[in-house]
């Protein structure tokens, strides 16, 4: 089968790989209908995250149809259309039981194989899904492939980053970084009735945030943090946000978030961070009485409530997907997305 594989830093190439097989009786095989191209795919692509084996199939976002089931799979059959979180989980261990599926004792992440251990990715024609009963969710009737793809990662991550702080209607919320996760946070926070100030440097992303009800603040690359904070206060009538969602995964974004936030505020870090240190000092955190939350979204734990929310509120999440690429153009798609070019907010491959 064809698969987009990691070859070296800034080199993803479509190659022929063996078909996946059922390796464990709890596995299923899925024929991939859509596979997402994610900001966190860019961490190994640009070498910010190291250790990925050469030849690993990239990608951790998928939706598709079950084509084979292991002998211990109870909840899924051949032909079922499924939503998958970006990591597998058992659904039974203590961490799964307390709604932390992303740190399941048996968790594995799609698209991460290191020293021969791990799970192949989803940017391929077919993929093996382990622990199927604890991992997958059946696609609801009103969801197409696009919605099904997006709730498995970016929308869940944005939703989680906002709702774990329980903002009330009328609260001021800032979202730093308007990739697909940040825009999802904007959508959810606006839907909850918050006033949302949204920061990015890319015009298309700011326009999308504004269309969903946020006040956009363009980050000029030459502006310093103090100038950006001043502009944010101005557009928010002098107020500071009680919740800041950081959806970039950089020290600069953390610095901006810390400078923006109101004392007693909640800093919700949705970005994947690869720096050696967190760009907030203990003194700052103490002096601002910050609550800080970080970590991988437990997608499987929150998927049922998220799906209900998207359906009930008719959240237009499908608008996030701006580009579909043939799998054979994966190399070009990575280059375009990596350069934040071509107006790509969210891309996906249709193998
Ligand atoms: Zn992702
Ligand atoms: Zn578990």
């Amino acid at each position: 089968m064809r698969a987009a594989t990691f070859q070296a830093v800034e080199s993803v190439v479509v190659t022929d790989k063996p078909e996946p097989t059922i390796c464990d009786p709890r596995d299923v095989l899925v024929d991939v209908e859509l596979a997402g191209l994610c900001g966190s795919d860019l961490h190994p692509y640009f070498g910010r995250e190291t250790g990925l084996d050469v030849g690993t199939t990239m990608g951790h976002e998928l939706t598709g149809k079950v084509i084979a089931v292991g002998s211990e799979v109870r909840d899924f059959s051949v032909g079922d259309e499924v939503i998958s979180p970006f990591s597998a989980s058992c659904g039974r261990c203590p961490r799964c039981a307390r709604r932390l599926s992303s740190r399941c004792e048996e968790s594995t992440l799609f698209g991460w194989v290191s020293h021969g251990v791990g799970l192949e990715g989803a940017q391929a024609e077919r993929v093996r899904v382990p622990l199927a009963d604890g991992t997958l969710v059946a696609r609801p009737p009103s969801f197409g492939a696009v919605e099904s793809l997006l709730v498995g990662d970016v929308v869940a991550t944005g939703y989680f980053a906002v709702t774990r702080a329980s903002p009330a209607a009328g609260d001021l919320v800032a979202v730093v970084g308007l990739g697909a996760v940040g825009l999802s946070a904007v959508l959810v926070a606006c839907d909850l009735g918050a006033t949302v100030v949204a920061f990015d440097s890319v015009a298309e992303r700011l326009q999308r945030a504004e269309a969903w009800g946020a006040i956009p603040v363009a980050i000029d690359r030459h502006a310093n943090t103090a100038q950006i904070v001043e502009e944010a206060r101005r557009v928010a009538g002098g107020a500071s946000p009680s919740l800041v969602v950081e959806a970039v995964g950089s020290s600069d974004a953390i610095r901006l978030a810390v400078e923006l936030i109101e004392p007693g505020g909640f800093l919700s870090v949705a970005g994947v961070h690869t720096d050696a240190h967190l760009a907030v000092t203990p003194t700052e955190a103490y002096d601002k009485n910050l609550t800080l939350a970080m970590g991988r979204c437990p997608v499987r734990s929150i998927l049922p409530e998220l799906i209900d929310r998207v359906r009930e509120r008719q959240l237009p999440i499908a608008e996030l997907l701006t580009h579909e690429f043939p799998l054979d153009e994966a190399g070009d798609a990575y280059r375009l997305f990596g350069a934040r070019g071509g107006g790509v907010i969210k891309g996906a491959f249709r193998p």
Side-chain angles (χ1 to χ4, degrees):
M1 67 167 186
R2 308 289 285 161
T5 59
F6 176 77
Q7 296 299 325
V9 168
E10 295 190 42
S11 176
V12 167
V13 176
V14 176
T15 59
D16 274 312
K17 290 186 73 165
E19 289 287 337
T21 54
I22 301 277
C23 303
D24 179 286
R26 298 171 294 176
D27 290 351
V28 302
L29 303 181
V30 169
D31 192 62
V32 178
E33 184 174 356
L34 278 178
L37 173 57
C38 182
S40 41
D41 294 329
L42 297 178
H43 288 311
Y45 179 74
F46 283 125
R48 295 189 291 255
E49 216 168 14
T50 57
L52 185 63
D53 286 358
V54 169
T56 301
T57 302
M58 298 289 289
H60 52 263
E61 302 179 359
L62 71 124
T63 186
K65 195 175 277 189
V66 174
I67 54 169
V69 296
S71 59
E72 290 179 17
V73 174
R74 296 287 166 264
D75 297 341
F76 297 95
S77 311
V78 169
D80 287 351
E81 292 180 313
V82 290
I83 295 173
S84 179
F86 55 77
S87 61
S89 52
C90 74
R92 294 160 178 256
C93 72
R95 294 180 196 163
C96 284
R98 61 184 172 91
R99 291 170 60 82
L100 194 59
S101 59
S102 52
R103 299 298 171 194
C104 168
E105 290 172 4
E106 291 190 75
S107 180
T108 44
L109 183 66
F110 288 99
W112 192 264
V113 179
S114 190
H115 302 292
V117 178
L119 186 57
E120 292 286 354
Q123 290 165 7
E125 291 177 282
R126 283 162 290 279
V127 64
R128 178 177 77 90
V129 177
L131 304 168
D133 286 341
T135 301
L136 296 172
V137 170
R139 193 186 283 181
S142 60
F143 269 35
V146 174
E147 289 88 353
S148 300
L149 176 76
L150 296 171
V151 293
D153 185 342
V154 291
V155 174
T157 301
Y159 173 85
F160 179 66
V162 171
T163 55
R164 68 180 162 189
S166 305
D171 282 1
L172 183 61
V173 173
V175 178
V176 177
L178 302 175
V181 169
L183 284 169
S184 297
V186 165
L187 183 62
V188 169
C190 287
D191 185 58
L192 290 169
T195 299
V196 179
V197 183
F199 301 78
D200 204 287
S201 59
V202 178
E204 295 89 353
R205 299 176 182 202
L206 290 160
Q207 285 159 11
R208 169 55 44 211
E210 189 171 20
W212 281 346
I215 304 165
V217 175
I219 296 182
D220 178 335
R221 291 192 187 282
H222 304 294
N224 61 38
T225 303
Q227 290 167 321
I228 300 167
V229 171
E230 193 181 308
E231 173 65 5
R233 292 235 168 84
R234 190 187 66 75
V235 301
S240 299
S242 54
L243 164 61
V244 181
V245 174
E246 187 274 343
V248 179
S250 76
S251 291
D252 285 349
I254 292 281
R255 288 308 314 156
L256 176 57
V258 170
E259 297 294 336
L260 283 169
I261 203 164
E262 178 73 2
F266 194 116
L267 174 51
S268 185
V269 177
V272 176
H273 282 263
T274 54
D275 288 347
H277 299 282
L278 188 63
V280 51
T281 68
T283 307
E284 287 173 318
Y286 181 87
D287 286 351
K288 274 207 164 177
N289 284 46
L290 280 189
T291 299
L292 173 68
M294 299 183 73
R296 183 179 288 168
C297 174
V299 177
R300 181 60 184 83
S301 300
I302 66 169
L303 253 180
E305 72 178 58
L306 172 61
I307 289 170
D308 285 349
R309 178 114 199 143
V310 170
R311 296 174 74 193
E312 280 164 19
R313 304 290 303 168
Q314 299 185 359
L315 299 179
I317 60 171
E319 292 173 19
L320 285 168
L321 189 75
T322 53
H323 289 69
E324 280 189 22
F325 304 100
L327 186 62
D328 281 332
E329 292 173 15
D332 291 336
Y334 270 84
R335 274 186 287 279
L336 185 70
F337 188 53
R340 289 157 59 98
V344 182
I345 292 173
K346 181 70 183 173
F349 299 105
R350 201 177 273 273

